[in-house]
Amino acid sequence: MSSSPPGPAAQGRRIWTVTELAAEVCFLLDDALGRVWLVGEVSNLRRPASGHLYFTLKDDSAQLRAVLFRSDAERLPFDPEDGLQVLAFGELTLWEPRGDLQVRVRHLEPRGRGALQLAFEQLRARLEGEGLFDPARKRPLPEFPRAVGVVTSPHGAALRDVIRVAAGRCPCIPLVLAPARVQGSGAARELVAALARAAAWPQVDVVLLVRGGGSLEDLLAFNSEELARAVAACPVPVVAGVGHEIDVSIADLVADVRAPTPSAAAARAVPDRTALGMRLGRDARRLRTALDGVLGRGRVRFGAARDSLRRVSPRARLETRRGRLRAAERALQRAGASLLERRRARFGVLTGRLDSLSPLAVLGRGFAIVRRSADGAIVRAPDDVTPGAGLRIRLAAGELDATVDGSPRRDARPQRR
């Protein structure tokens, strides 16, 4: 008996085209299996420009091609990567152009940890690699902001906490609310827009990005890349107070300052008027002390400069010269008086000597000086006159006129010439 396949002429056989058979296989797979959950490891992941994801799901013994179309991929909260253990939900189909079995994945989630947690870790690693968490790029908060912007839900407890803390610390600083939803679909976009509005307010010098605590799903908007980049690009410093103290969001890590709660965020941004008053009092005392020191040193320098100026001023120089002149005058007077006294003393001595040698002194002793009346010559001998000659006799107390009336007589003693 022949085992060869029936010939073309055999009656009652069904002949399929490849396309028909592929379609039938797809139908049978869908009818028999429907949509299934698969567990496997992602490998050979490709991301073409179309936005679809192509990869292989494998375990120790087998592997299947898989595709995740863009419409489904955009809804994933995390990025698939090679080596990731995942749970895939979808249907088994035949890719007819190549005759390959593949899984069309409708939903994908990491196995052993939640998709949101994985998305958080992946985004955190990527932004950290870009330097968005670097402390060097974070700005200091203004010490005395003119106004504080608040980005949060207008109906949440976070806003009430901020208002309460700000009113207790410094009620004169205005709060500018930029309302936005803090969870749910579209919340991230609203937060980004509200952040831009708050930062654009003319007096706002710092912005608070706050909300109360919640689960990882509740904080999804604050873990979005869109909001993280908006916080990094904000023109004024941002204080993030998201959730409770144990909650850490991507917005917290990117913000210039992270506060554990909304209340703490308000306390970081709004100065404490009580502490400010104490500080002002302390600074005022220090200023007074410093000012007193400056004034004291200034007075000393001014006195020294004034004295120095007085010493070199024309008036001071003139006064000095006048003093010197008065001293010279007094010295000259003393010297003149002394010289005059010495001259007087010497004059007295000379006068005494002169008196002792003066003819008048001789006359005082009874002698006389005889002169001829005719020519005033002194008569020293009788031969110097003739009888009848006129004489003028000088006595101690006056003069006499006389006439020679006899012949002159010569003294027998020798005369001294």
Side-chain angles (χ1 to χ4, degrees):
M1 186 174 178
S2 174
S3 60
S4 60
Q11 299 297 322
R13 61 187 176 181
R14 172 71 185 274
I15 300 176
W16 300 76
T17 65
V18 175
T19 300
E20 290 173 341
L21 184 58
E24 184 67 17
V25 170
C26 290
F27 175 77
L28 292 175
L29 290 173
D30 184 62
D31 183 58
L33 297 176
R35 294 185 176 179
V36 296
W37 283 94
L38 295 175
V39 59
E41 178 184 325
V42 176
S43 65
N44 301 319
L45 179 66
R46 294 184 294 113
R47 301 173 184 269
S50 62
H52 307 320
L53 299 182
Y54 297 98
F55 54 96
T56 299
L57 283 175
K58 68 177 183 178
D59 57 20
D60 294 337
S61 303
Q63 63 181 20
L64 282 174
R65 294 181 181 273
V67 59
L68 183 67
F69 291 123
R70 183 176 63 184
S71 58
D72 296 317
E74 289 176 345
R75 292 196 296 269
L76 290 181
F78 69 99
D79 290 329
E81 54 189 25
D82 286 339
L84 183 64
Q85 288 285 333
V86 295
L87 289 174
F89 178 74
E91 61 265 13
L92 185 65
T93 63
L94 182 70
W95 188 37
E96 298 172 1
R98 297 181 64 175
D100 293 336
L101 282 176
Q102 69 175 12
V103 180
R104 178 181 177 182
V105 179
R106 305 284 185 172
H107 174 73
L108 199 65
E109 63 184 53
R111 188 184 183 191
R113 52 180 171 172
L116 295 181
Q117 182 63 33
L118 178 61
F120 174 86
E121 293 173 359
Q122 289 177 336
L123 180 59
R124 177 173 181 168
R126 186 165 69 254
L127 296 182
E128 186 173 15
E130 295 180 17
L132 266 66
F133 304 160
D134 188 356
R137 60 157 291 276
K138 300 189 177 185
R139 297 159 292 186
L141 300 184
E143 192 170 6
F144 304 107
R146 295 170 295 173
V148 176
V150 183
V151 176
T152 190
S153 169
H155 310 295
L159 178 59
R160 294 193 294 272
D161 291 342
V162 169
I163 293 174
R164 174 180 54 80
V165 173
R169 291 178 67 85
C170 194
C172 62
I173 295 180
L175 301 179
V176 178
L177 175 64
R181 288 185 299 155
V182 293
Q183 68 183 67
S185 177
R189 288 191 297 273
E190 288 191 22
L191 288 170
V192 170
L195 184 64
R197 291 197 307 273
W201 194 270
Q203 301 296 320
V204 168
D205 294 324
V206 61
V207 174
L208 305 183
L209 179 64
V210 295
R211 68 147 287 160
S215 64
L216 192 58
E217 289 77 7
D218 294 334
L219 302 180
L220 183 61
F222 294 87
N223 288 324
S224 69
E225 182 174 359
E226 182 181 11
L227 180 60
R229 297 195 181 279
V231 170
C234 186
V236 298
V238 177
V239 180
V242 180
H244 300 301
E245 188 168 357
I246 60 174
D247 297 323
V248 179
S249 68
I250 295 296
D252 286 322
L253 299 174
V254 179
D256 297 284
V257 173
R258 184 212 172 221
T261 63
S263 298
R268 293 296 300 272
V270 179
D272 185 0
R273 60 179 175 179
T274 302
L276 180 59
M278 295 175 61
R279 177 179 171 187
L280 288 176
R282 183 186 68 245
D283 291 346
R285 291 190 295 272
R286 290 179 176 175
L287 182 60
R288 283 195 296 270
T289 301
L291 184 58
D292 290 343
V294 171
L295 289 176
R297 292 189 294 272
R299 290 190 187 100
V300 172
R301 289 196 298 270
F302 176 76
R306 180 184 58 194
D307 294 341
S308 177
L309 183 61
R310 285 176 177 174
R311 287 193 297 270
V312 300
S313 67
R315 178 178 297 175
R317 296 174 65 183
L318 182 59
E319 188 63 29
T320 301
R321 297 294 174 87
R322 285 174 178 169
R324 293 177 180 175
L325 180 59
R326 287 192 293 270
E329 289 176 349
R330 290 191 296 269
L332 182 60
Q333 290 173 356
R334 289 192 299 269
S338 177
L339 178 62
L340 183 60
E341 186 65 27
R342 291 195 302 271
R343 293 296 174 89
R344 282 176 179 170
R346 185 177 180 187
F347 178 78
V349 173
L350 294 177
T351 300
R353 293 174 62 185
L354 183 61
D355 287 342
S356 64
L357 299 176
S358 171
L360 295 178
V362 176
L363 294 179
R365 294 196 299 270
F367 292 92
I369 298 175
V370 181
R371 297 178 182 272
R372 288 194 299 258
S373 300
D375 58 5
I378 295 175
V379 177
R380 293 184 174 85
D383 296 337
D384 292 338
V385 296
T386 63
L391 298 174
R392 179 162 291 186
I393 303 170
R394 173 70 184 267
L395 304 176
E399 291 183 352
L400 293 176
D401 290 328
T403 303
V404 177
D405 58 359
S407 299
R409 295 189 301 270
R410 183 175 297 276
D411 192 348
R413 289 177 299 177
Q415 298 181 3
R416 291 184 298 178
R417 296 284 181 177

